[in-house]
Amino acid sequence: MAETGVDADFFVFRDRSTDRVLPWDVIDGGLKASFFRAEFDKGLRGEWTLPPKRLQENTRLLPRPD
């Protein structure tokens, strides 16, 4: 990070309001920002997103309700 001049603290320790720049906004992977925002929000709620192809085989890894 230091060699590239990127300030890691800016991305790690800052406000995460919905109108703020997110760490992955510097990457153009072809997905919309709304997708990443939804994934971020799900992560804060402790929810998982599994690709449909992997959902059945990974079901055993998901927490089970008691």
Side-chain angles (χ1 to χ4, degrees):
M1 299 291 284
E3 289 178 13
T4 63
V6 174
D7 179 11
D9 287 346
F10 170 76
F11 290 103
V12 175
F13 299 110
R14 65 192 172 71
D15 181 29
R16 301 273 189 236
S17 301
T18 57
D19 60 341
R20 303 288 182 183
V21 174
L22 294 172
W24 46 80
D25 285 343
V26 299
I27 301 168
D28 182 4
L31 295 172
K32 294 183 179 183
S34 58
F35 169 80
F36 291 109
R37 171 52 65 186
E39 290 299 298
F40 180 74
D41 292 340
K42 286 174 71 175
L44 294 175
R45 293 190 304 266
E47 296 176 12
W48 292 37
T49 299
L50 293 173
K53 190 176 189 178
R54 300 276 183 226
L55 186 57
Q56 286 183 339
E57 63 193 57
N58 288 332
T59 299
R60 63 184 171 82
L61 300 175
L62 293 172
R64 295 182 184 186
D66 294 333

